[in-house]
């Protein structure tokens, strides 16, 4: 009696057990908007769907979306259609943007849409939206939409040399005057002496150095 | 050739009276008095001697309170003028003798000036009345892993706190300026600072 040795590795075991190693980008269970979308899509024409996809992309690319903008963009579409289609479409776009780029390639995206049983004819508008020209502005907006402390939007400066003042005939001290404008609209004007300027420069360089060291480490090279 | 118009001190009656009182002062106490005045020269807000000290000092130097005030004022004026013109000790000596201060007092003043003159001038140079001045810079570095709109990030993120001193009538206490930077934003800031630095370098 011979022994048959079968070499098995982990992914083989995984496949054999029937557990998929890929998770749908929408997650389980399906978000309610998406299930509603799939159920109601038979009633609607692709043109309505395309329009609402465009609206969703517009609203997601905008840093300050307003209700006014939404009502302008959805003029002429029935309320029923909006209620059935828009939440699902918006959620699909949002969830797709959230997943990192390399994990959600176009074919994986289409497979996932097939898995949730979205008719194939309706895939095209979503694919073009997510993998076409609109992608960069969607990325930018997704990146900015998070709580943050004020960032520097403008730094204006001037270097002054004090020639004399009330106490001294000859001063010859350079000072720097900087105006910091933040993206939250605050403006600060500060005077910086030479020593403090060197301190500031040193701190900036130190942090840059740490950032570069961090980015060199192996956790950054591995793309999950 | 010393021109009278170049003299450091204009001899007003009050100044002459002050000089007279200084000449009568006890030489032992004089150096300490002078040092105290020199060290407080850059501090315009507070006088060299507060009220309580003045009360004690008067009888100790056998001066009435108004005479004491005059003596302190005259000495302060001498020091301020020396600072203003950045006078060398030798020239200061000549000037002091020209206004008829006793030579032993002149010597003490010049010695005090040689010792404390330079630091005092440096402090006066740094003195500025700009409304907001940078005091110190603090920072911390984060690694942003995820946010509600994006998962799997791994982005380094630095937050800087610029502590600002408010010279503005002391009404409002100093407010720190908080700024956030990612790598590219920090690099831009660094480039701007380099331009400023090159300007500073071209000055010297």
């Amino acid at each position: 009696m011979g022994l048959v040795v079968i070499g098995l590795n982990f992914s083989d075991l995984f496949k054999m057990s029937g557990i998929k190693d890929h998770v749908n980008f929408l997650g389980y269970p399906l978000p309610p908007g998406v299930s509603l979308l799939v159920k109601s899509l038979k009633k609607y024409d692709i043109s309505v769907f395309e329009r609402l996809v465009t609206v969703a992309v517009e609203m997601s690319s905008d840093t300050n979306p307003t209700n006014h903008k939404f009502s302008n963009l959805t003029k002429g579409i029935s309320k029923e259609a909006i209620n059935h289609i828009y939440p699902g479409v918006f959620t699909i776009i949002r969830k797709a943007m959230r997943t990192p780029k390399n994990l959600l390639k176009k074919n994986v995206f289409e497979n996932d849409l097939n898995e949730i049983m979205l008719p194939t004819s309706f895939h095209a508008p979503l694919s073009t939206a997510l993998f076409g020209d609109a992608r960069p502005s969607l990325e930018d907006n997704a990146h900015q939409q998070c709580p943050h402390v004020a960032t520097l939007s403008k730094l204006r400066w001037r270097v002054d040399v004090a020639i004399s003042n009330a106490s001294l005939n000859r001063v010859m001290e350079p000072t720097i005057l900087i105006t910091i404008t933040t993206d939250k609209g605050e403006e600060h004007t500060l005077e910086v002496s030479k020593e403090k300027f060197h301190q500031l420069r040193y701190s900036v360089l130190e942090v840059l150095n740490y950032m570069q060291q961090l980015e060199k480490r192996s956790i950054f090279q591995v793309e999950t | 050739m010393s021109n009278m118009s170049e003299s450091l001190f204009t001899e007003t009656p009050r100044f002459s009276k002050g000089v007279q009182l200084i000449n009568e002062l006890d030489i032992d106490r004089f150096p300490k008095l002078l040092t105290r005045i020199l060290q407080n020269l850059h501090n315009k807000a507070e006088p060299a001697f507060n009220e309580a000290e003045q009360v004690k000092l008067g009888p100790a130097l056998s001066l009435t309170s108004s005479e004491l005030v005059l003596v302190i004022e005259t000495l302060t004026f001498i020091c301020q003028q020396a600072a203003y013109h950045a006078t060398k000790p030798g020239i200061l000596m000549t000037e002091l003798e020209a206004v008829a201060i006793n030579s032993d007092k002149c010597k003490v003043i010049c010695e005090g000036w040689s010792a404390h003159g330079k630091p005092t001038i440096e402090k006066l140079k740094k003195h500025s009345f700009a409304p907001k001045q940078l005091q110190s810079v603090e920072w911390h570095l984060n690694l942003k892993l995820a946010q509600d709109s994006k998962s799997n990030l791994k982005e380094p993120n630095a937050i800087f706190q610029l502590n600002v001193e408010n010279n503005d009538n002391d009404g409002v206490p100093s407010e720190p300026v908080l700024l956030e930077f990612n790598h590219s934003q920090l690099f831009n800031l660094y480039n701007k600072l380099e331009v400023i630095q090159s300007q500073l370098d071209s000055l010297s």
Side-chain angles (χ1 to χ4, degrees), chain A residues 97-98 139 142-143 145 149-151 167-169 171 173 190-191 196-197 201 207 215 219-220 224, chain B residues 44 83-84 128 130 132-135 139 147-152 154-156 164 179-180 183 194 197:
Chain A
M97 284 312 300
R98 190 158 192 274
E139 284 271 2
H143 223 86
Q145 291 289 348
V149 178
T151 43
S167 346
L168 295 174
N169 197 16
V171 178
E173 262 301 299
L190 305 173
E191 187 187 88
K196 302 294 176 197
F197 178 72
R201 209 165 134 248
V207 178
E215 284 175 351
I219 53 164
F220 280 90
T224 47
Chain B
K44 305 223 166 163
Y84 186 80
S128 142
K132 286 193 208 166
Q133 286 182 296
L134 181 66
Q135 281 293 90
W139 54 267
Q147 57 195 53
D148 62 347
S149 41
K150 277 229 149 274
S151 65
N152 294 66
K154 284 202 285 262
E155 202 183 280
V164 174
L179 294 168
E180 191 179 293
H183 195 159
E194 280 299 292
Q197 181 63 38

Side-chain angles (χ1 to χ4, degrees), chain B residues 152-186:
Chain B
N152 294 66
L153 276 177
K154 284 202 285 262
E155 202 183 280
N157 198 27
I159 299 188
F160 276 77
Q161 176 167 307
L162 306 176
N163 294 318
V164 174
E165 192 194 329
N166 213 334
N167 282 339
D168 217 4
N169 295 331
D170 292 328
V172 178
S174 44
E175 345 115 13
V177 178
L178 282 169
L179 294 168
E180 191 179 293
F181 298 93
N182 63 20
H183 195 159
S184 57
Q185 287 167 337
L186 197 61

Side-chain angles (χ1 to χ4, degrees), chain B residues 38 88-90 92 107-119:
Chain B
L38 270 172
K88 294 199 173 50
L92 184 61
K107 228 172 116 213
V108 173
I109 296 178
C110 288
E111 276 167 12
W113 184 245
S114 319
H116 301 281
K118 268 232 152 55

